């Protein structure tokens, strides 16, 4: 063991108060913070985006000024040239069956919600209309903030009777345009439904409302001796209802699985206002169709999730975080296999990033340094273990790392010796989206692929794009999730044409998924056939038609405009 300590400078650390070390970082709060005005949004966005956003501002100005008129309808064309992912514009046609908002609608909503929860303020609407990456922007003139399930039911019942389209919104931290309007849909923001209803300390079952912020739930559970099975970089802003609706993956999936396993029950409101009470707390319930799974991952297109019951694991006392270097991707693969075999029962995260990703973080984020100076390695792996026996966990992890080093799988490494160092390691991995945004234009792809094939796509894209772009690869290696990012100085149609549809075709050819955890939203709705058969998509469309006959809930998302 002394050989390992002197050769690899491994420093170990365990702490009983370790679970919140990532929550101390403010970067994700800054990255997801809502801006106060559209002019400020345009700062740092490339010139080609500015005319589009300013047109949106003018539209909102026009609509707001006419709120007191009898009919508040958009005087815009039914086809909007919408800035989609990248630099190529796509035409999306507004559904002509959807009604336009009028003053009677506003009066009704004020009656049931009160004036302060019927939002028509220009700056707040501008923020709610645009996603945090500034790639998607709608023209909604109204945001509603219900406080109870009954209010959500009344809103949807009324909107369905009027054929007013709506978009459910939580923390608005999505990456595929799923949580913002496409046109003038009414925004139903769930932020005021943020109560913790109950917690079963014996079984670790949490029941809460959909608007609860993930980080707040984590803090509550920490005091109770438990943790959330879900951990995301956006935890300071995202809400549990949105997490469930998008089946968010995150950093702990390798240990605790997806939300399809953790969510025991939920309450959802259908388009016609019907409340489905599926808020069970039983681990086993084999009575017919388990309908809650329809809503987990449906991205708010089938109904609005209002309450959730979720199984939470106990907080364990021993946590270790190791930051390691590997010389090639094959070594990363083998290291993952060995980690599952040797420390599988305590393995809670297995993340990787390549040299391009590391270089980007070091140059774009202040205060970040490479834990393994002075050499730059081709690949880096972050491993987290969580267990209940501090002494045994240390020995097990160190023995695994020593064997891996002797086998040539690891070229260097370090284990965090305190909370600050552990947080610094996670800052590198979690800071990558922020670093990419600061570097310039970015084309983001969230793909699920066989682990042995995953990095081949990164190498293929580098050959394909050459010096015209920087290709960055990182992600959740433990569950086969690649975050492929193409970074350029500015958006370019020629580069975009080299990326799509090639990325989707390559993924489909290798039987992968074009969305591992981000969802389909608006960005990938028409790309669904790369991962699903026409028969499957048709069945999805039939379910949508059954639960939302008028198609008012989150239209233009998830499913293609004209499914086969």
């Amino acid at each position: 063991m002394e050989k390992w300590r002197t050769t690899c400078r491994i420093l170990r650390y365990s702490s009983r108060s370790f679970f919140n070390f990532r929550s101390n970082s403010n970067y994700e709060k800054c990255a997801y913070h809502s801006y106060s005005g559209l002019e400020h949004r345009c700062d740092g966005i490339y010139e080609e985006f500015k005319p589009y956003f300013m047109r949106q501002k003018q539209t909102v100005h026009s609509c707001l000024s006419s709120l007191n008129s009898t009919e508040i309808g958009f005087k815009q064309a039914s086809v909007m040239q919408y800035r989609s992912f990248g630099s190529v514009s796509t035409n999306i046609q507004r559904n002509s069956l959807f009604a336009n908002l009028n003053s009677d609608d506003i009066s009704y909503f004020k009656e049931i919600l009160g004036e302060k929860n019927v939002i028509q303020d220009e700056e707040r609407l501008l923020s709610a209309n645009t996603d945090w990456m500034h790639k998607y922007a709608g023209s909604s003139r109204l945001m509603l903030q219900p406080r109870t399930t009954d209010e959500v039911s009344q809103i949807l019942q009324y909107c369905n009777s009027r054929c007013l389209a709506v978009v459910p919104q939580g923390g608005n931290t999505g990456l595929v345009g799923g949580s913002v309007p496409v046109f003038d849909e009414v925004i139903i923001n769930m932020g005021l439904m943020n109560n913790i209803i109950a917690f079963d300390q014996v079984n670790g079952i949490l029941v809460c409302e959909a608007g609860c912020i993930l980080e707040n739930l984590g803090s509550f559970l920490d005091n109770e001796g438990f943790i959330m099975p879900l951990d995301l970089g956006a935890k300071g802003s995202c809400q549990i209802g949105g997490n469930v609706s998008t089946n968010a993956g995150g950093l702990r999936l390798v240990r605790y699985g997806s939300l399809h396993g953790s969510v025991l029950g939920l309450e959802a409101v259908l388009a016609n206002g019907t409340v489905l009470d599926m808020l069970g707390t039983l681990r086993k319930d084999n009575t017919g169709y388990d309908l809650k799974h329809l809503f987990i991952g449906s991205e708010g297109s089938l109904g609005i999730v209002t309450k959730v019951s979720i199984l939470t694991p106990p907080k364990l006392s021993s946590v270790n975080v190791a930051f390691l270097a590997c010389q090639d991707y094959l070594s990363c693969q083998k290291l993952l296999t060995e980690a599952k075999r040797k420390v599988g029962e305590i393995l809670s995260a297995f993340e990787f990033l390549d040299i391009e990703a590391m270089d980007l973080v070091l140059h774009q984020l202040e205060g970040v340094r490479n834990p393994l100076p002075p050499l730059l390695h081709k690949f880096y792996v972050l491993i987290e273990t969580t267990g209940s026996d501090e002494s045994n966990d240390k020995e097990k992890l160190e023995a695994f790392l020593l064997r891996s080093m002797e086998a040539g799988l690891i070229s260097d490494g370090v284990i965090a010796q305190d909370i600050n160092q552990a947080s610094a390691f996670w800052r590198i991995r979690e800071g990558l989206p922020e670093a990419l945004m600061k570097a310039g234009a970015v084309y983001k792809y969230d793909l699920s692929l066989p682990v042995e094939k995953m990095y081949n796509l990164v190498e293929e894209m580098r050959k394909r794009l050459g010096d015209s772009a920087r290709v960055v690869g990182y992600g959740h290696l433990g569950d086969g999730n690649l975050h492929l990012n193409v970074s350029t100085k500015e958006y370019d149609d020629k580069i975009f044409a080299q990326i799509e549809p090639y990325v989707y075709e390559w993924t489909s050819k290798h039987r992968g998924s074009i969305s591992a955890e981000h969802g389909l939203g608006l960005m990938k709705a028409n790309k669904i056939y790369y991962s699903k058969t026409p028969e499957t998509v048709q069945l999805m469309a039939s379910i949508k038609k059954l639960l939302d006959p008028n198609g008012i809930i989150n239209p233009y998302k998830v499913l293609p405009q004209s499914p086969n």
Side-chain angles (χ1 to χ4, degrees):
M1 189 56 61
E2 185 63 30
K3 175 183 177 183
W4 168 251
R5 291 195 186 97
T6 56
T7 306
C8 282
R9 309 190 317 280
I10 291 290
L11 304 171
R12 60 183 190 265
Y13 171 74
S14 293
S15 170
R16 298 181 187 278
S17 61
F18 194 89
F19 277 88
N20 282 330
F21 69 82
R22 283 197 297 269
S23 67
N24 293 328
S25 173
N26 288 322
Y27 90 90
E28 69 266 25
K29 297 176 184 176
C30 295
Y32 290 87
H33 189 269
S34 296
Y35 294 109
S36 60
L38 193 55
E39 293 90 343
H40 187 62
R41 289 177 183 280
C42 289
D43 292 343
I45 302 174
Y46 292 95
E47 290 296 322
E48 65 176 59
F49 277 85
K50 292 185 179 180
Y52 170 72
F53 283 121
M54 296 316 295
R55 286 197 301 273
Q56 294 305 311
K57 180 180 179 181
Q58 291 167 3
T59 301
V60 175
H61 266 299
S62 175
C63 293
L64 286 169
S65 64
S66 62
L67 280 176
N68 293 323
S69 65
T70 302
E71 181 71 22
I72 309 177
F74 272 159
K75 305 304 181 182
Q76 62 185 32
S78 62
V79 177
M80 177 181 180
Q81 193 173 59
Y82 198 88
R83 176 66 64 175
S84 184
F85 191 76
S87 58
V88 176
S89 296
T90 57
N91 289 327
I92 298 175
Q93 186 172 355
R94 184 185 186 277
N95 189 332
S96 60
L97 297 178
F98 292 152
N100 291 315
L101 194 67
N102 63 41
S103 58
D104 290 338
D105 301 327
I106 302 294
S107 298
Y108 174 81
F109 294 132
K110 286 182 178 180
E111 286 180 11
I112 64 172
L113 300 178
E115 288 205 18
K116 70 176 183 179
N117 294 326
V118 177
I119 310 301
Q120 299 168 267
D121 177 72
E122 179 181 354
E123 290 190 356
R124 294 183 68 180
L125 283 171
L126 287 172
S127 178
N129 266 301
T130 309
D131 76 312
W132 79 273
M133 286 192 68
H134 318 292
K135 289 180 179 294
Y136 304 94
S139 303
S140 176
R141 296 146 298 149
L142 183 66
M143 180 169 69
L144 306 178
Q145 294 186 305
R147 295 155 296 187
T148 66
T149 298
D150 183 60
E151 288 182 353
V152 175
S153 175
Q154 291 182 66
I155 291 169
L156 287 179
Q157 184 178 28
Y158 180 84
C159 289
N160 191 57
S161 68
R162 283 270 292 117
C163 212
L164 286 170
V166 303
V167 55
Q169 189 173 91
N172 198 15
T173 60
L175 298 172
V176 291
S179 59
V180 294
V182 178
F183 294 101
D184 55 343
E185 299 92 274
V186 175
I187 301 168
I188 303 177
N189 185 282
M190 303 299 291
L192 296 184
M193 295 183 63
N194 57 6
N195 295 308
I196 293 174
I197 299 169
F199 181 67
D200 180 347
Q201 289 186 327
V202 175
N203 297 299
I205 299 171
L206 174 71
V207 182
C208 64
E209 292 181 319
C212 291
I213 293 173
L214 182 61
E215 188 173 46
N216 294 344
L217 293 178
S219 298
F220 169 83
L221 289 170
D222 181 66
N223 293 328
E224 300 291 334
F226 290 79
I227 65 169
M228 286 296 289
L230 176 69
D231 189 15
L232 305 172
K235 57 182 170 286
S237 302
C238 65
Q239 299 173 9
I240 190 63
N243 298 151
V244 170
S245 296
T246 57
N247 190 29
L251 304 166
R252 290 175 177 161
L253 192 141
V254 68
R255 176 68 171 268
Y256 300 115
S258 78
L259 290 174
H260 278 287
S262 298
V263 174
L264 301 180
L266 54 80
E267 178 186 82
V269 184
L270 300 182
N272 65 1
T274 299
V275 178
L276 294 182
D277 183 357
M278 303 175 286
L279 201 61
T281 57
L282 301 175
R283 296 286 301 276
K284 302 175 77 173
D285 179 8
N286 200 13
T287 52
Y289 308 132
D290 200 347
L291 296 179
K292 69 175 181 286
H293 291 293
L294 284 176
F295 297 88
I296 301 172
S298 67
E299 302 181 54
S301 64
L302 299 181
I304 298 180
V305 173
T306 50
K307 295 186 179 76
V308 176
S309 65
I310 188 166
L311 183 66
T312 66
K315 180 173 67 174
L316 302 177
S317 59
S318 171
V319 178
N320 292 279
V321 178
F323 197 86
L324 313 170
C326 300
Q327 282 305 310
D328 52 50
Y329 181 68
L330 182 60
S331 296
C332 296
Q333 289 182 63
K334 291 181 178 179
L335 189 65
L336 172 61
T337 301
E338 288 302 302
K340 289 179 177 179
R341 289 173 176 166
K342 305 301 182 184
V343 294
E345 73 279 12
I346 58 174
L347 185 66
S348 54
F350 197 105
E351 303 289 308
F352 94 104
L353 58 148
D354 61 19
I355 187 172
E356 292 288 344
M358 174 62 87
D359 184 67
L360 195 70
V361 169
L362 294 178
H363 284 88
Q364 295 296 331
L365 301 184
E366 293 183 8
V368 175
R369 66 178 184 85
N370 189 342
L372 305 173
L375 298 176
L376 286 174
H377 304 271
K378 292 182 179 179
F379 291 90
Y380 297 89
V381 169
L382 188 153
I383 295 177
E384 180 184 85
T385 64
T386 310
S388 56
D389 189 327
E390 185 172 340
S391 177
N392 183 65
D393 291 347
K394 288 179 183 179
E395 293 177 4
K396 185 179 284 285
L397 178 61
E398 288 183 337
F400 159 67
L401 294 175
L402 177 60
R403 285 191 296 268
S404 298
M405 186 192 72
E406 292 174 340
L409 301 182
I410 300 173
S411 54
D412 203 351
V414 59
I415 294 179
Q417 63 179 351
D418 56 36
I419 285 181
N420 291 332
Q421 198 170 56
S423 181
F425 294 174
W426 274 110
R427 170 71 163 133
I428 294 170
R429 168 60 185 86
E430 291 186 314
L432 276 163
E434 180 187 356
L436 283 158
M437 287 282 287
K438 288 185 175 183
V442 57
Y443 302 86
K444 300 181 74 69
Y445 297 89
D446 160 53
L447 310 167
S448 187
L449 289 160
V451 171
E452 65 273 14
K453 299 286 186 182
M454 201 162 78
Y455 201 73
N456 291 357
L457 177 56
V458 179
E459 295 173 332
E460 289 287 336
M461 289 306 299
R462 284 184 181 144
K463 292 177 183 176
R464 186 174 178 85
L465 296 174
D467 297 332
S468 63
R470 187 177 197 176
V471 181
V472 177
Y474 66 93
H476 314 293
L477 193 65
D479 47 70
N481 182 184
L482 171 67
H483 293 308
L484 173 70
N485 292 263
V486 179
S487 178
T488 60
K489 291 183 178 180
E490 59 186 8
Y491 290 102
D492 187 298
D493 290 346
K494 292 181 180 178
I495 292 176
F496 183 73
Q498 285 287 96
I499 301 171
E500 291 189 24
Y502 181 82
V503 165
Y504 297 129
E505 291 171 346
W506 197 98
T507 301
S508 180
K509 178 181 177 182
H510 292 86
R511 299 190 65 80
S513 170
I514 63 170
S515 180
E517 60 181 3
H518 292 171
L520 295 168
L522 177 65
M523 171 186 168
K524 300 179 184 179
N526 289 324
K527 310 293 193 307
I528 192 173
Y529 293 109
Y530 286 107
S531 292
K532 294 290 188 289
T533 65
E535 294 79 12
T536 302
V537 175
Q538 184 58 58
L539 181 57
M540 291 180 182
S542 299
I543 294 171
K544 167 72 172 175
K545 187 69 174 177
L546 176 67
L547 299 182
D548 181 14
N550 294 325
I552 66 164
I553 304 183
N554 221 8
Y556 322 107
K557 320 282 181 61
V558 184
L559 293 171
Q561 290 287 80
S562 301
N564 292 340

